[in-house]
Amino acid sequence: MAQGYKIEAIAGLPALVVRLTFPPRLDVEKMFAEIATEFRERLIHAKRRLYRINDFSTYNQVNIFAYLRRGLASETRGWPGTTSDPRLYPILVGQGASVRLIVEALRKDEYGGWDMPAFPTLDEAVSKIRGWENGTDLRPADRLRHALGADWSHP
């Protein structure tokens, strides 16, 4: 496990959780690249699209928006292993102003016009995924409002 984050599988679901941990890392761009590398390795063996749950709940009471915003540009270009990789269905988890600001920022054209589901707790996100997977809930339309021009040449 790398300092600053932890990646865990959700038993019985095609889902992985990226949980930001204490202490926070100041090199957020490098941390996001490390996470993408780990996801690329896991996606090699995936037989279907996976849910990527970005869990920021560790920081519910801390203003992390400015910190995370630095990594949004690389996370929203469709590069393999990032939140915007088309082989992943991204979800946010967390509460408070920072998560609301991230959701709002992602909806802007400069970050790809995302419409990403967000839940206050991991339990609520997992419950919703179970509903999508068993057909009791209709999963929202794909996350981008317009076509994403992915640059697959990125390492």
Coordinates of all heavy atoms in Angstrom, one line a residue, residues 60-119:
N60 N -13.7 14.3 5.1 CA -15.0 15.0 5.1 C -15.0 16.3 5.8 O -15.7 17.3 5.4 CB -16.1 14.1 5.8 CG -16.7 13.1 4.9 OD1 -16.5 13.1 3.7 ND2 -17.3 12.1 5.4
Q61 N -14.2 16.5 6.8 CA -14.2 17.8 7.6 C -13.0 18.6 7.2 O -12.7 19.6 7.9 CB -14.2 17.5 9.1 CG -15.4 16.6 9.5 CD -16.7 17.2 9.2 OE1 -16.9 18.4 9.3 NE2 -17.6 16.4 8.6
V62 N -12.2 18.3 6.2 CA -11.0 19.0 5.8 C -11.2 19.6 4.4 O -11.7 18.9 3.5 CB -9.8 18.1 5.8 CG1 -8.5 18.8 5.4 CG2 -9.6 17.4 7.2
N63 N -10.8 20.8 4.2 CA -10.9 21.4 2.8 C -9.8 20.9 1.9 O -8.7 21.3 2.0 CB -10.8 22.9 2.9 CG -11.0 23.6 1.6 OD1 -11.2 22.9 0.6 ND2 -11.0 24.9 1.6
I64 N -10.2 19.9 1.1 CA -9.2 19.3 0.2 C -9.4 19.7 -1.3 O -8.7 19.2 -2.1 CB -9.2 17.7 0.3 CG1 -10.6 17.2 0.0 CG2 -8.7 17.3 1.7 CD1 -10.6 15.7 -0.2
F65 N -10.4 20.5 -1.5 CA -10.7 20.8 -2.9 C -9.5 21.4 -3.7 O -9.2 20.9 -4.8 CB -11.9 21.8 -3.0 CG -12.2 22.2 -4.4 CD1 -12.7 21.3 -5.3 CD2 -11.9 23.5 -4.9 CE1 -13.0 21.7 -6.7 CE2 -12.1 23.8 -6.2 CZ -12.7 22.9 -7.1
A66 N -8.8 22.4 -3.1 CA -7.7 23.0 -3.8 C -6.6 21.9 -4.1 O -6.0 21.9 -5.1 CB -7.1 24.1 -3.0
Y67 N -6.4 21.0 -3.1 CA -5.5 20.0 -3.2 C -5.8 19.0 -4.3 O -5.0 18.7 -5.2 CB -5.4 19.3 -1.8 CG -4.8 18.0 -1.7 CD1 -3.4 17.8 -1.7 CD2 -5.5 16.8 -1.6 CE1 -2.8 16.6 -1.5 CE2 -4.9 15.6 -1.4 CZ -3.6 15.5 -1.4 OH -3.0 14.2 -1.3
L68 N -7.1 18.5 -4.4 CA -7.5 17.5 -5.4 C -7.6 18.2 -6.8 O -7.4 17.5 -7.8 CB -8.8 16.9 -5.0 CG -8.7 15.9 -3.8 CD1 -10.0 15.4 -3.4 CD2 -7.7 14.8 -4.1
R69 N -8.0 19.4 -6.8 CA -8.2 20.1 -8.1 C -6.9 20.0 -9.0 O -7.0 19.9 -10.2 CB -8.6 21.5 -7.9 CG -9.0 22.2 -9.2 CD -9.6 23.5 -8.9 NE -10.1 24.1 -10.2 CZ -10.2 25.3 -10.4 NH1 -9.8 26.2 -9.5 NH2 -10.6 25.7 -11.6
R70 N -5.8 20.0 -8.3 CA -4.5 19.9 -9.1 C -4.4 18.6 -9.9 O -3.8 18.6 -11.0 CB -3.3 20.0 -8.2 CG -3.2 21.3 -7.5 CD -1.9 21.5 -6.7 NE -1.1 20.4 -6.4 CZ -0.7 20.0 -5.2 NH1 -1.0 20.7 -4.2 NH2 0.0 18.9 -5.1
G71 N -5.1 17.6 -9.5 CA -5.0 16.3 -10.2 C -6.2 16.1 -11.2 O -6.1 15.1 -11.9
L72 N -7.2 17.0 -11.2 CA -8.3 16.8 -12.0 C -8.0 16.8 -13.5 O -8.6 16.0 -14.3 CB -9.4 17.8 -11.8 CG -10.2 17.7 -10.5 CD1 -11.2 18.8 -10.4 CD2 -10.8 16.4 -10.3
A73 N -7.0 17.6 -13.9 CA -6.7 17.7 -15.3 C -6.2 16.3 -15.9 O -6.7 15.9 -16.9 CB -5.6 18.7 -15.6
S74 N -5.4 15.6 -15.1 CA -4.9 14.3 -15.6 C -5.9 13.2 -15.4 O -5.9 12.3 -16.2 CB -3.6 13.9 -14.9 OG -3.8 13.8 -13.5
E75 N -6.8 13.4 -14.5 CA -7.8 12.4 -14.2 C -9.0 12.4 -15.2 O -9.8 11.5 -15.3 CB -8.4 12.5 -12.8 CG -7.5 12.0 -11.8 CD -7.4 10.5 -11.8 OE1 -8.4 9.7 -11.8 OE2 -6.2 10.0 -11.9
T76 N -9.1 13.5 -16.0 CA -10.3 13.7 -16.8 C -10.0 13.6 -18.3 O -10.8 14.1 -19.2 CB -11.0 15.0 -16.5 OG1 -10.1 16.1 -16.7 CG2 -11.6 14.9 -15.1
R77 N -8.9 13.0 -18.7 CA -8.5 13.0 -20.1 C -8.7 11.6 -20.8 O -8.3 11.4 -21.9 CB -7.1 13.4 -20.3 CG -6.9 14.9 -19.9 CD -5.5 15.3 -20.2 NE -5.4 16.7 -19.8 CZ -4.3 17.4 -19.7 NH1 -3.1 16.8 -20.0 NH2 -4.3 18.6 -19.4
G78 N -9.2 10.7 -20.0 CA -9.5 9.3 -20.6 C -8.3 8.4 -20.6 O -8.3 7.4 -21.2
W79 N -7.2 8.8 -19.9 CA -6.0 8.0 -19.9 C -6.2 6.7 -19.2 O -7.0 6.7 -18.2 CB -4.8 8.8 -19.3 CG -4.4 10.0 -20.1 CD1 -4.5 10.2 -21.4 CD2 -3.7 11.1 -19.6 NE1 -4.0 11.4 -21.8 CE2 -3.5 12.0 -20.7 CE3 -3.3 11.5 -18.3 CZ2 -2.8 13.2 -20.6 CZ3 -2.6 12.7 -18.2 CH2 -2.4 13.6 -19.3
P80 N -5.6 5.6 -19.6 CA -5.8 4.3 -19.0 C -5.5 4.4 -17.5 O -4.5 4.9 -17.0 CB -4.7 3.4 -19.7 CG -4.5 4.1 -21.0 CD -4.6 5.6 -20.7
G81 N -6.4 3.8 -16.7 CA -6.3 3.7 -15.3 C -6.8 4.8 -14.5 O -7.0 4.7 -13.3
T82 N -7.1 6.0 -15.2 CA -7.6 7.1 -14.5 C -9.1 7.0 -14.3 O -9.8 6.2 -14.9 CB -7.3 8.4 -15.2 OG1 -8.0 8.4 -16.5 CG2 -5.8 8.6 -15.5
T83 N -9.7 7.9 -13.5 CA -11.1 7.9 -13.3 C -11.9 8.0 -14.6 O -13.0 7.4 -14.7 CB -11.5 9.1 -12.4 OG1 -10.8 9.0 -11.2 CG2 -13.0 9.2 -12.1
S84 N -11.4 8.6 -15.6 CA -12.1 8.8 -16.9 C -11.8 7.6 -17.9 O -12.3 7.7 -19.0 CB -11.8 10.1 -17.5 OG -10.4 10.3 -17.7
D85 N -11.0 6.6 -17.5 CA -10.8 5.5 -18.4 C -12.2 4.9 -18.7 O -13.0 4.6 -17.8 CB -9.9 4.5 -17.7 CG -9.6 3.2 -18.5 OD1 -10.4 2.8 -19.3 OD2 -8.5 2.7 -18.3
P86 N -12.5 4.7 -20.0 CA -13.9 4.2 -20.4 C -14.1 2.8 -19.9 O -15.3 2.3 -19.9 CB -13.9 4.3 -21.9 CG -12.6 4.7 -22.4 CD -11.8 5.1 -21.2
R87 N -13.1 2.1 -19.4 CA -13.3 0.7 -18.9 C -13.8 0.8 -17.4 O -14.1 -0.2 -16.8 CB -12.1 -0.1 -19.0 CG -11.6 -0.3 -20.4 CD -10.3 -0.9 -20.5 NE -9.3 0.0 -20.0 CZ -8.0 -0.2 -19.9 NH1 -7.5 -1.4 -20.1 NH2 -7.1 0.7 -19.5
L88 N -13.9 2.0 -16.9 CA -14.3 2.2 -15.5 C -15.6 3.0 -15.4 O -15.8 3.9 -16.3 CB -13.2 2.9 -14.7 CG -11.9 2.2 -14.6 CD1 -10.8 3.1 -14.1 CD2 -12.0 1.0 -13.7
Y89 N -16.4 2.8 -14.4 CA -17.5 3.6 -14.1 C -17.3 4.3 -12.8 O -17.3 3.6 -11.7 CB -18.8 2.7 -14.0 CG -20.1 3.6 -14.0 CD1 -20.7 4.0 -15.2 CD2 -20.6 4.0 -12.8 CE1 -21.8 4.8 -15.1 CE2 -21.7 4.8 -12.7 CZ -22.3 5.2 -13.9 OH -23.4 6.0 -13.9
P90 N -16.9 5.6 -12.8 CA -16.5 6.3 -11.6 C -17.6 6.7 -10.7 O -18.7 7.1 -11.2 CB -15.7 7.5 -12.1 CG -16.3 7.8 -13.4 CD -16.8 6.4 -14.0
I91 N -17.3 6.7 -9.4 CA -18.3 7.1 -8.4 C -17.5 7.9 -7.3 O -16.4 7.5 -7.0 CB -19.0 5.9 -7.8 CG1 -19.9 5.2 -8.8 CG2 -19.8 6.3 -6.5 CD1 -20.4 3.9 -8.4
L92 N -18.0 8.9 -6.7 CA -17.4 9.6 -5.6 C -18.1 9.3 -4.3 O -19.3 9.1 -4.3 CB -17.5 11.1 -5.8 CG -16.6 11.7 -7.0 CD1 -16.8 13.2 -7.1 CD2 -15.1 11.4 -6.7
V93 N -17.3 9.3 -3.3 CA -17.9 9.1 -1.9 C -17.3 10.1 -1.0 O -16.1 10.4 -1.0 CB -17.6 7.7 -1.4 CG1 -17.9 7.6 0.1 CG2 -18.3 6.6 -2.1
G94 N -18.1 10.8 -0.2 CA -17.7 11.7 0.8 C -18.8 12.8 1.0 O -19.8 12.8 0.3
Q95 N -18.6 13.5 2.0 CA -19.5 14.6 2.4 C -18.8 15.9 2.6 O -17.6 15.9 2.8 CB -20.3 14.2 3.7 CG -21.0 12.9 3.6 CD -21.7 12.6 4.9 OE1 -22.4 13.4 5.5 NE2 -21.4 11.4 5.4
G96 N -19.6 17.0 2.5 CA -19.0 18.3 2.8 C -18.8 19.1 1.6 O -19.0 18.7 0.4
A97 N -18.3 20.3 1.8 CA -18.1 21.2 0.8 C -17.1 20.8 -0.3 O -17.3 21.0 -1.5 CB -17.6 22.6 1.4
S98 N -16.0 20.1 0.1 CA -15.0 19.7 -0.8 C -15.5 18.8 -1.9 O -15.3 18.9 -3.1 CB -13.8 19.1 -0.1 OG -13.1 20.0 0.6
V99 N -16.3 17.8 -1.5 CA -16.9 16.8 -2.4 C -17.9 17.5 -3.3 O -17.9 17.3 -4.6 CB -17.5 15.6 -1.7 CG1 -18.3 14.7 -2.7 CG2 -16.4 14.8 -1.0
R100 N -18.7 18.4 -2.8 CA -19.6 19.2 -3.6 C -18.9 20.0 -4.6 O -19.3 20.1 -5.8 CB -20.5 20.1 -2.7 CG -21.7 19.3 -2.1 CD -22.7 20.3 -1.5 NE -22.1 21.2 -0.5 CZ -21.9 20.9 0.8 NH1 -22.2 19.7 1.3 NH2 -21.4 21.8 1.6
L101 N -17.8 20.6 -4.2 CA -17.0 21.4 -5.2 C -16.4 20.6 -6.3 O -16.3 21.0 -7.4 CB -15.9 22.2 -4.4 CG -16.4 23.4 -3.6 CD1 -15.3 23.9 -2.7 CD2 -17.0 24.5 -4.5
I102 N -15.9 19.4 -5.9 CA -15.3 18.5 -6.9 C -16.4 18.1 -7.9 O -16.2 18.1 -9.2 CB -14.7 17.2 -6.3 CG1 -13.5 17.6 -5.4 CG2 -14.4 16.2 -7.3 CD1 -13.0 16.5 -4.5
V103 N -17.6 17.7 -7.5 CA -18.7 17.3 -8.4 C -19.0 18.5 -9.3 O -19.2 18.3 -10.5 CB -19.9 16.8 -7.6 CG1 -21.1 16.7 -8.5 CG2 -19.6 15.5 -6.9
E104 N -19.1 19.7 -8.8 CA -19.4 20.9 -9.6 C -18.3 21.2 -10.6 O -18.6 21.5 -11.7 CB -19.6 22.1 -8.7 CG -20.9 22.0 -7.9 CD -21.0 23.1 -6.8 OE1 -20.3 24.1 -6.9 OE2 -21.9 23.0 -5.9
A105 N -17.1 21.0 -10.1 CA -15.9 21.3 -11.1 C -15.9 20.3 -12.2 O -15.7 20.6 -13.4 CB -14.6 21.2 -10.3
L106 N -16.2 19.0 -11.9 CA -16.2 18.0 -13.0 C -17.3 18.2 -14.0 O -17.2 17.8 -15.2 CB -16.4 16.6 -12.3 CG -15.2 16.1 -11.6 CD1 -15.6 14.8 -10.8 CD2 -14.0 15.8 -12.5
R107 N -18.3 18.9 -13.7 CA -19.4 19.2 -14.6 C -19.0 20.3 -15.6 O -19.7 20.5 -16.6 CB -20.7 19.6 -13.9 CG -21.3 18.5 -13.2 CD -22.6 18.8 -12.5 NE -23.2 17.7 -11.9 CZ -23.9 17.7 -10.7 NH1 -24.0 18.8 -10.1 NH2 -24.3 16.5 -10.2
K108 N -18.0 21.0 -15.3 CA -17.5 22.1 -16.2 C -16.8 21.5 -17.4 O -16.2 20.5 -17.4 CB -16.6 23.0 -15.5 CG -17.2 23.8 -14.4 CD -16.3 24.7 -13.7 CE -17.1 25.5 -12.6 NZ -16.2 26.4 -11.9
D109 N -17.0 22.2 -18.6 CA -16.4 21.8 -19.8 C -14.8 21.6 -19.7 O -14.3 20.7 -20.3 CB -16.7 22.7 -21.0 CG -18.1 22.6 -21.4 OD1 -18.8 21.5 -21.1 OD2 -18.6 23.6 -22.0
E110 N -14.2 22.4 -18.9 CA -12.7 22.3 -18.8 C -12.3 20.9 -18.3 O -11.1 20.5 -18.5 CB -12.1 23.4 -18.0 CG -12.4 23.4 -16.5 CD -11.9 24.6 -15.8 OE1 -10.7 24.7 -15.5 OE2 -12.7 25.4 -15.4
Y111 N -13.2 20.3 -17.5 CA -12.9 18.9 -17.0 C -13.7 17.8 -17.7 O -13.8 16.7 -17.1 CB -13.1 18.9 -15.5 CG -12.2 19.8 -14.7 CD1 -12.6 20.9 -14.0 CD2 -10.8 19.6 -14.8 CE1 -11.8 21.7 -13.3 CE2 -9.9 20.5 -14.1 CZ -10.4 21.5 -13.4 OH -9.6 22.4 -12.8
G112 N -14.3 18.1 -18.8 CA -14.9 17.1 -19.6 C -16.4 17.0 -19.4 O -17.1 16.2 -20.0
G113 N -17.0 17.9 -18.7 CA -18.5 17.9 -18.5 C -19.0 16.6 -17.9 O -20.0 16.1 -18.4
W114 N -18.4 16.2 -16.8 CA -18.8 14.9 -16.2 C -20.1 15.1 -15.4 O -20.4 16.1 -14.8 CB -17.7 14.5 -15.2 CG -16.5 14.0 -15.8 CD1 -15.7 14.7 -16.6 CD2 -16.0 12.7 -15.7 NE1 -14.6 13.9 -17.0 CE2 -14.8 12.7 -16.4 CE3 -16.3 11.6 -15.0 CZ2 -14.0 11.5 -16.5 CZ3 -15.5 10.5 -15.0 CH2 -14.4 10.5 -15.8
D115 N -20.8 14.0 -15.3 CA -22.0 13.9 -14.4 C -21.8 12.6 -13.6 O -22.3 11.6 -14.0 CB -23.3 13.9 -15.2 CG -24.5 14.2 -14.4 OD1 -24.3 14.6 -13.2 OD2 -25.6 14.0 -14.9
M116 N -21.0 12.7 -12.6 CA -20.5 11.6 -11.8 C -21.4 11.4 -10.6 O -21.6 12.3 -9.8 CB -19.1 11.8 -11.4 CG -18.5 10.5 -10.8 SD -16.8 10.7 -10.2 CE -16.0 11.4 -11.6
P117 N -21.9 10.1 -10.4 CA -22.7 9.9 -9.1 C -21.8 10.1 -7.9 O -20.6 9.7 -7.9 CB -23.0 8.4 -9.3 CG -22.8 8.0 -10.7 CD -21.8 9.0 -11.2
A118 N -22.4 10.7 -6.9 CA -21.7 10.9 -5.6 C -22.6 10.5 -4.4 O -23.8 10.7 -4.5 CB -21.3 12.4 -5.5
F119 N -22.0 9.8 -3.4 CA -22.8 9.3 -2.3 C -22.1 9.8 -1.0 O -20.9 9.9 -1.0 CB -22.9 7.8 -2.4 CG -23.6 7.3 -3.6 CD1 -22.8 7.0 -4.7 CD2 -24.9 7.2 -3.6 CE1 -23.5 6.6 -5.9 CE2 -25.6 6.7 -4.7 CZ -24.8 6.4 -5.9

